[in-house]
Amino acid sequence: MEPPIVAQTPEDRWTDSSSKILTSYVFREGSLEGELETIKPTGFVEDETGAVRGMRFLWPLKAESLVAYLNEAYSETITLRRKRDYAWIMTRDPQITDERYAALVARLAAMGCDAAEVRRVPQDWPDAGHPVSKAEGDMAHWTRAND
């Protein structure tokens, strides 16, 4: 099985030996100049395909996360909830063209999500304060223990 996608929003994942997905979502609160914040939910693979996951932000509650789309190059993914009330478009590239973004939003809309509700989150990479930037972008050698 291929490793999980590294998110366009700075979410960095890997699976530990118990099939948990240890996640560090590192972001700047409110703006690109905001204070660096980290949320560390744990994901759980909930079916044999790996596409149905639960994300635990606060024990014992789990939020649903479905891998609805993954391209062949493992460079783009769309995750969402069955209710279609939350969805995420993620890429390995911090900056994508307007055309690529529009195509991903169209794919999301074809899945039943409201394209008018999609918000594009600005990216500013590398970010000197982000732990992945400190690891010189080497996701394979950055671990959650390092943040």
Side-chain angles (χ1 to χ4, degrees), residues 9-21:
T9 53
E11 182 179 357
D12 310 305
R13 304 177 183 186
W14 62 96
T15 304
D16 72 7
S17 60
S18 67
S19 298
K20 293 178 186 171
I21 303 168

Side-chain angles (χ1 to χ4, degrees), residues 12-131:
D12 310 305
R13 304 177 183 186
W14 62 96
T15 304
D16 72 7
S17 60
S18 67
S19 298
K20 293 178 186 171
I21 303 168
L22 305 177
T23 305
S24 291
Y25 179 61
V26 183
F27 60 97
R28 293 204 174 269
E29 183 64 39
S31 75
L32 295 175
E33 291 77 36
E35 188 159 332
L36 203 63
E37 301 282 341
T38 302
I39 300 172
K40 296 180 180 181
T42 299
F44 300 88
V45 177
E46 299 195 344
D47 76 345
E48 65 282 348
T49 69
V52 178
R53 300 171 182 189
M55 292 297 291
R56 179 173 289 143
F57 291 88
L58 179 64
W59 189 87
L61 306 173
K62 280 192 233 177
E64 179 184 59
S65 176
L66 306 174
V67 179
Y69 168 72
L70 177 63
N71 72 349
E72 288 185 26
Y74 285 81
S75 61
E76 299 174 347
T77 188
I78 295 174
T79 62
L80 49 76
R81 289 174 20 113
R82 283 185 183 96
K83 290 179 163 183
R84 305 302 195 262
D85 55 347
Y86 288 95
W88 295 264
I89 295 172
M90 298 175 275
T91 72
R92 289 189 185 267
D93 304 309
Q95 303 296 331
I96 62 174
T97 65
D98 290 340
E99 293 79 15
R100 184 175 174 199
Y101 177 75
L104 288 164
V105 171
R107 183 179 291 274
L108 186 63
M111 294 175 190
C113 295
D114 184 352
E117 294 293 319
V118 176
R119 290 182 292 146
R120 191 170 187 173
V121 178
Q123 304 292 310
D124 187 22
W125 290 97
D127 179 336
H130 193 282

Side-chain angles (χ1 to χ4, degrees), residues 123-139:
Q123 304 292 310
D124 187 22
W125 290 97
D127 179 336
H130 193 282
V132 174
S133 294
K134 290 178 183 176
E136 298 179 353
D138 188 353
M139 295 300 299

